[in-house]
Amino acid sequence: MKSLVVFYSLEEHTKSIANIVAKELNGDLLELKPEKEIPKNGFKKFLWGGKSAVFKDRPKLQNEIPDLDSYDTIIIGTPIWAGTYTPAINTFISDNKIKGKKLGFFACHGGGGAKKCFEKLRGILSENTILGTIDFADAEEDEEKIKKVNNWISNFIIK
């Protein structure tokens, strides 16, 4: 089983989880990088990030996307912005035909919204098998995150 962990991370929370997941699955890692990034702090971060998520913006990405046909399993990781996945993830999903794959979703957040975010991802990627979902609060300790990832992979992703 060949796996790809695709993620976007503004403040490194999602990146830290993506690295753990990729290591545990011995999978490839793809960090989505928008050509124009939103501010990383202050009021503008919430204003521009929230607006772009709500309006389903599709920023142009710097990345070259690998051939998704060569992967059996794709794990998608995103921060939660305004109750949904980020614009970079929206671009990835919109620009690529993701059908007939085994998918897993993980999300990082400061205060919730994972259930709504996962429902939206399930809806837009309904032509795939969803193996499992998991979310992480930004304040969780690294050791707890590692335990949660290992449990998630064992019970949902590789069963």
Side-chain angles (χ1 to χ4, degrees), residues 83-104:
T84 193
Y85 48 90
T86 59
I89 296 295
N90 190 40
T91 300
F92 173 76
I93 293 169
S94 298
D95 289 356
N96 295 283
K97 294 178 183 176
I98 304 172
K99 294 181 182 177
K101 300 290 182 186
K102 296 175 189 170
L103 302 180

Side-chain angles (χ1 to χ4, degrees), residues 76-88:
I76 298 174
T78 183
I80 298 173
W81 291 358
T84 193
Y85 48 90
T86 59

Side-chain angles (χ1 to χ4, degrees), residues 10-35:
L10 181 66
E11 296 178 323
E12 306 297 315
H13 299 291
T14 309
K15 184 175 187 170
S16 69
I17 301 299
N19 285 322
I20 297 167
V21 173
K23 180 180 176 187
E24 292 302 315
L25 289 174
N26 195 27
D28 295 338
L29 199 58
L30 173 63
E31 180 175 7
L32 301 176
K33 294 282 193 180
E35 284 189 354

